[in-house]
Amino acid sequence: MWNPLSWVMEAAAVMAIVLANGGGEGPDWQDFVGIICLLIINSTISFIEENNAGNAAAALMARLAPKTKVLRDGQWQETDAAILVPGDIISIKLGDIIPADARLLEGDPLKIDQASALLDSDKNQLNN
C-alpha cells in the first residue's frame, strides 16, 4: 500500500471519519468502510500480481542460466557453466553460446559473433 493511489484513498478514508457531513450529522461510516474495502481489494490484487511477476522472473532467470555439456569422468554431463574449470572439455553445436574461454580441439572452423562480448552494436564477425 505504498503508492500514490493508496495514499489518496487512505486520506479519503480518514476525511470520511474526521469530517462530518454537515448539519450536525456524524462521520460518514459507509464511505469509510467502502474505501477501506477498496484498499484491501487493491492490496490483495497488487500482492498477487507482484508474487506472480516474481515467480515468472525467477523462472526466466533459471531458464536463461548458461548450461553446458561437459566431459567429466568419461561421461558427458549437462551442468551449469559457472562451475567450469580450466581443462574441462565442453561440447558445442550450431547456435550454442560458449560459456567460457575455450580452445577448439577438433571439428570445423568456427564463425564467431563477438558483438555481445564487445558490447558493440555492429555485428563484428571473425573467422577462426
Side-chain angles (χ1 to χ4, degrees), residues 72-87:
R72 291 207 175 139
D73 299 325
Q75 295 182 357
W76 290 103
Q77 306 170 9
E78 188 167 315
T79 185
D80 289 332
I83 62 170
L84 286 177
V85 295

Side-chain angles (χ1 to χ4, degrees), residues 66-122:
K67 299 239 184 239
T68 188
K69 199 171 185 182
V70 63
L71 183 63
R72 291 207 175 139
D73 299 325
Q75 295 182 357
W76 290 103
Q77 306 170 9
E78 188 167 315
T79 185
D80 289 332
I83 62 170
L84 286 177
V85 295
D88 276 344
I89 298 175
I90 60 172
S91 172
I92 57 175
K93 63 184 183 300
L94 183 64
D96 277 354
I97 295 173
I98 299 175
D101 290 343
R103 184 171 9 145
L104 189 61
L105 298 177
E106 62 183 50
D108 296 331
L110 298 176
K111 186 173 186 179
I112 301 170
D113 177 8
Q114 295 182 341
S116 61
L118 300 173
L119 299 174
D120 190 8
S121 61
D122 296 330

Side-chain angles (χ1 to χ4, degrees), residues 17-38:
I17 290 296
V18 173
L19 301 176
N21 288 334
E25 296 179 22
D28 193 352
W29 291 104
Q30 294 169 341
D31 285 348
F32 174 77
V33 171
I35 292 170
I36 295 299
C37 288
L38 287 174

Side-chain angles (χ1 to χ4, degrees), residues 9-51:
M9 291 176 70
E10 290 165 4
V14 169
M15 284 196 277
I17 290 296
V18 173
L19 301 176
N21 288 334
E25 296 179 22
D28 193 352
W29 291 104
Q30 294 169 341
D31 285 348
F32 174 77
V33 171
I35 292 170
I36 295 299
C37 288
L38 287 174
L39 274 171
I40 292 170
I41 291 168
N42 184 31
S43 298
T44 304
I45 291 171
S46 295
F47 175 78
I48 291 169
E49 286 180 355
E50 286 184 26
N51 191 30

